[in-house]
Amino acid sequence: MAIELKAQHLAFVPHALAVAGAVMVLVWCIHFRGGLAWESSDKNLIFNIHPVLMLIGFIILGGEAIMSYKSLPLRKEVKKVIHLVLHAIALILGIIGIYTAFKYHNESSIANLYSLHSWLGIGIIVLYGIQWIYGFLVFFYPGGPSGLRSESLPWHVLFGLFVYILAVANAAIGFLEKLTFLENSGVAKYGDEAYLVNFTAVVTILYGAFVIFTVFSQAPQADDYSYSAI
């Protein structure tokens, strides 16, 4: 199954959305929320690292890793390395982003893991890690037999997309949750910050959608590791 559009052309849309989303979350956390800090007497600055890393580091880089197999006109060996490295960076930044949420909660005497957003977040990062380890061992090093790789590929792709869709959905839940807390603390419901957060969530969802569309579009060339196995 494929969309009758070339991935190289379609990928410009999620790339543009990625830039927009990155700028928007940085403007929110730096301009409206006061900045970023690993250590600070203002614990909110510690929390601000969380949405920045989870959107730019996890969602955006993870999406770029997914699209790399379809949108880059490179040899499959090169695309495989790019795919693997971008996912590894996304996973590491995602783990750091989750750690900052725990750090903020612990230093602010706030309970951990009480919300759906936090439950899903832990589950998603664990599944993402399992997916990366399996992909590394089977498709990269030491590499499984060709029969295992061909049988695993469609499931690897589908499971990866499932986890990514969950991640995008949970990011939207996170924006909603944080904005609700802020509005309960006095932020205007129809103010500039509220609009910015809501539009950032919308851009995040659109980015995720176009990542999926790119997966089902036409690759520059077919190979044994192409998403066409779906």
Side-chain angles (χ1 to χ4, degrees):
M1 182 175 67
I3 297 174
E4 296 300 319
L5 287 173
K6 292 184 177 180
Q8 287 176 276
H9 299 156
L10 183 59
F12 282 109
V13 177
H15 292 335
L17 289 168
V19 173
V23 170
M24 292 167 79
V25 76
L26 286 171
V27 169
W28 176 40
C29 291
I30 295 174
H31 176 68
F32 285 96
R33 293 288 97 207
L36 312 172
W38 189 257
E39 297 289 346
S40 175
S41 58
D42 183 355
K43 303 307 177 184
N44 289 313
L45 303 187
I46 298 173
F47 175 83
N48 291 345
I49 298 174
H50 176 72
V52 170
L53 288 185
M54 298 313 294
L55 179 54
I56 298 176
F58 193 59
I59 299 295
I60 292 178
L61 282 184
E64 295 299 322
I66 291 172
M67 292 188 293
S68 64
Y69 257 129
K70 268 300 179 74
S71 63
L72 297 178
L74 303 172
R75 292 183 297 111
K76 66 181 181 183
E77 292 83 3
V78 177
K79 290 191 288 186
K80 186 191 298 185
V81 172
I82 294 173
H83 180 77
L84 184 75
V85 170
L86 286 178
H87 272 311
I89 297 172
L91 178 61
I92 292 169
L93 294 179
I95 291 171
I96 296 172
I98 289 177
Y99 173 77
T100 60
F102 278 94
K103 179 178 172 66
Y104 163 71
H105 280 203
N106 293 336
E107 295 185 13
S108 304
S109 300
I110 299 173
N112 290 307
L113 298 175
Y114 61 85
S115 67
L116 175 64
H117 175 65
S118 60
W119 292 5
L120 288 175
I122 294 298
I124 289 164
I125 206 73
V126 169
L127 293 176
Y128 201 100
I130 292 172
Q131 170 82 342
W132 189 88
I133 292 170
Y134 183 84
F136 181 89
L137 295 175
V138 173
F139 298 106
F140 189 72
Y141 183 83
S146 59
L148 176 63
R149 283 181 292 166
S150 62
E151 291 177 4
S152 297
L153 180 60
W155 294 106
H156 178 70
V157 174
L158 289 173
F159 184 73
L161 293 179
F162 168 71
V163 174
Y164 187 71
I165 290 169
L166 280 180
V168 172
N170 200 40
I173 293 173
F175 283 120
L176 171 63
E177 180 179 279
K178 183 61 177 178
L179 181 58
T180 300
F181 291 155
L182 292 174
E183 289 175 346
N184 289 339
S185 299
V187 170
K189 290 181 171 60
Y190 296 100
D192 292 341
E193 184 174 2
Y195 281 119
L196 176 62
V197 175
N198 281 330
F199 276 115
T200 304
V202 170
V203 168
T204 301
I205 293 169
L206 289 175
Y207 174 76
F210 275 95
V211 167
I212 304 303
F213 293 155
T214 302
V215 168
F216 289 99
S217 60
Q218 296 176 345
Q221 61 182 22
D223 56 54
D224 292 339
Y225 297 92
S226 132
Y227 286 143
S228 61
I230 295 178

